[in-house]
Amino acid sequence: MEDKKLVFSAIQPTGTFTLGNYIGAVRNWSPLQDEYNCLYCVADMHAITVKQDPTKLRQNSLAAYALLIACGIDPKKSILFIQSHVPTHALLNWVLCCNTQFGELSRMTQFKDKSQRHPDDINAGLFTYPSLMAADILAYNADFVPVGVDQKQHLELTRDIAQRFNQRYGDFFTLPEPLIFEVGAKIMSLQDPTKKMSKSDENPNACILILDDKDTIIRKFKRAVTDSEAVVAYREGKDGINNLMSIYSAVTGKDYASIESEFAGKGYGDFKLAVGEAVADNLAPIRTEFDRLMADKAYLKELYTEGAQKAFRISNKIVSKVYHKVGFVDR
Ligand code: TRP
């Protein structure tokens, strides 16, 4: 690997990505590939902290892998792999678990949310999820971690765990820094713009999936909740329009002032149609590339096999040193 700073990030393979995942996260990953050594991973081990249908999980993981490539991750530039293919993550996880406090894990808001949503399955994996995430990052001594705002708390915990390990066993881990992208950081539901856009929303019109076809995308935008003022302007109290404006801005690169003048004197119908078309045009090439990749499973397998080998080689060196540091007998 070239002598550059290292970036690590991962995404859970829970169905196809939403427009929010794309604009807020994945879209920002590909421009990092030139400046940094990047490792990106499909976090299937994190996914089973909530109940999964095994057949669907396998399909979703493969689809997520192909989608990352379709979104611009180049497997020749970056190391792109599936988490469960690289055993060092689980090996490091154990050591990190023993350096993470019950109290720290209890304070994680995602754990509190998810255990409320799945009261019948508050399993140990869900609880220790953040130390597996720390293992993902620290197994490579990553410098930067692009994450959404919702993962910031987990990243802070990663730093605390790394620091504690360094104090106990001598300086070893790099303290990773978050890379948080402001633009499109929060894409809201089209049906209730005070809530985050989510694929688990009961109303399918609330959420754009990046593999939706053009007609579906336009139909969903046409039904988006707005207000009765009929003025395209970014202002407090106009949550629906603000959300549409931030989506439009994210896919066209236009700022709010120029969007306001573009639609001055026009109705919401015109504006919603323009947003729908811009989003559909933006996503169309991703869908084409995704279909092409999914039609060639042998090629995908070649890519993820090679990705896992490279990831293992790097992380195995680091994890072997960790095992030595904590006092395990060298193999
Ligand atoms: N927990 C992250 C999420 O749900 C996914 C993830 C797993 C991750 N391991 C990671 C993100 C390591 C950044 C770094 O979005």
Side-chain angles (χ1 to χ4, degrees):
M1 276 204 304
E2 288 175 74
D3 195 20
K4 294 177 184 168
K5 296 266 187 193
L6 201 140
V7 162
F8 182 97
S9 200
I11 188 154
Q12 288 198 53
T14 39
T16 140
F17 308 160
T18 66
L19 182 65
N21 298 138
Y22 177 62
I23 294 178
V26 178
R27 187 176 72 147
N28 303 306
W29 291 4
S30 69
L32 300 171
Q33 296 178 108
D34 294 317
E35 198 177 332
Y36 302 103
N37 289 321
C38 297
L39 288 123
Y40 295 121
C41 132
V42 174
D44 54 349
M45 289 164 71
H46 279 94
I48 64 163
T49 55
V50 299
K51 275 194 202 100
Q52 299 286 339
D53 174 86
T55 306
K56 279 214 193 96
L57 177 61
R58 216 180 324 275
Q59 283 166 354
N60 285 341
S61 297
L62 206 58
Y65 191 90
L67 260 180
L68 288 174
I69 301 175
C71 291
I73 308 300
D74 178 349
K76 296 278 168 275
K77 279 191 201 161
S78 298
I79 300 178
L80 181 58
F81 66 101
I82 298 173
Q83 188 183 25
S84 63
H85 290 180
V86 182
T88 42
H89 294 230
L91 297 178
L92 181 56
N93 176 43
W94 180 250
V95 174
L96 298 186
C97 269
C98 299
N99 286 277
T100 309
Q101 298 302 305
F102 180 86
E104 289 175 314
L105 293 171
S106 311
R107 283 194 291 276
M108 295 293 115
T109 50
Q110 187 175 296
F111 172 71
K112 289 190 233 169
D113 287 351
K114 286 195 179 172
S115 43
Q116 237 161 35
R117 265 189 281 139
H118 309 276
D120 56 327
D121 186 21
I122 308 177
N123 63 78
L126 188 67
F127 188 61
T128 59
Y129 178 117
S131 63
L132 179 59
M133 182 162 157
D136 296 340
I137 298 164
L138 300 178
Y140 303 91
N141 260 332
D143 298 286
F144 297 109
V145 182
V147 281
V149 268
D150 61 319
Q151 295 298 317
K152 227 181 126 190
Q153 195 186 27
H154 289 159
L155 200 66
E156 277 157 16
L157 180 58
T158 300
R159 292 169 57 92
D160 292 342
I161 297 171
Q163 214 156 13
R164 182 170 306 129
F165 183 95
N166 288 351
Q167 267 157 14
R168 234 179 239 181
Y169 299 104
D171 250 354
F172 182 72
F173 286 128
T174 305
L175 302 189
E177 281 172 42
L179 284 181
I180 303 213
F181 299 96
E182 295 304 331
V183 176
K186 237 177 166 186
I187 301 295
M188 312 307 276
S189 157
L190 299 184
Q191 292 296 315
D192 176 359
T194 60
K195 277 191 347 202
K196 198 178 144 187
M197 181 182 280
S198 159
K199 58 196 140 202
S200 53
D201 204 301
E202 277 155 35
N203 185 340
N205 291 319
C207 172
I208 303 286
L209 300 173
I210 72 169
L211 296 174
D212 279 345
D213 60 38
K214 185 163 186 168
D215 290 348
T216 307
I217 293 174
I218 290 179
R219 180 168 38 80
K220 288 179 180 175
F221 276 108
K222 275 190 183 155
R223 294 187 185 163
V225 168
T226 50
D227 53 60
S228 53
E229 197 186 35
V231 180
V232 176
Y234 199 98
R235 243 193 264 131
E236 210 185 313
K238 292 173 73 74
D239 294 336
I241 289 296
N242 293 350
N243 188 36
L244 295 180
M245 284 180 73
S246 74
I247 294 172
Y248 192 62
S249 166
V251 295
T252 61
K254 295 175 186 168
D255 62 20
Y256 293 152
S258 65
I259 297 171
E260 285 173 9
S261 55
E262 184 179 349
F263 294 96
K266 293 189 186 153
Y268 285 166
D270 290 342
F271 178 51
K272 289 179 181 180
L273 184 65
V275 181
E277 284 186 334
V279 169
D281 291 346
N282 206 261
L283 297 181
I286 298 176
R287 235 177 109 214
T288 311
E289 177 65 0
F290 174 78
D291 290 341
R292 197 183 66 81
L293 288 161
M294 289 302 276
D296 192 351
K297 298 279 192 315
Y299 176 60
L300 276 180
K301 184 169 184 183
E302 235 172 75
L303 294 178
Y304 64 66
T305 306
E306 198 186 323
Q309 283 164 351
K310 288 187 193 158
F312 180 74
R313 238 175 278 135
I314 300 169
S315 54
N316 192 39
K317 280 196 198 123
I318 292 175
V319 174
S320 299
K321 285 187 193 151
V322 170
Y323 269 37
H324 180 82
K325 277 185 163 292
V326 301
F328 294 161
V329 175
D330 297 324
R331 275 190 276 183

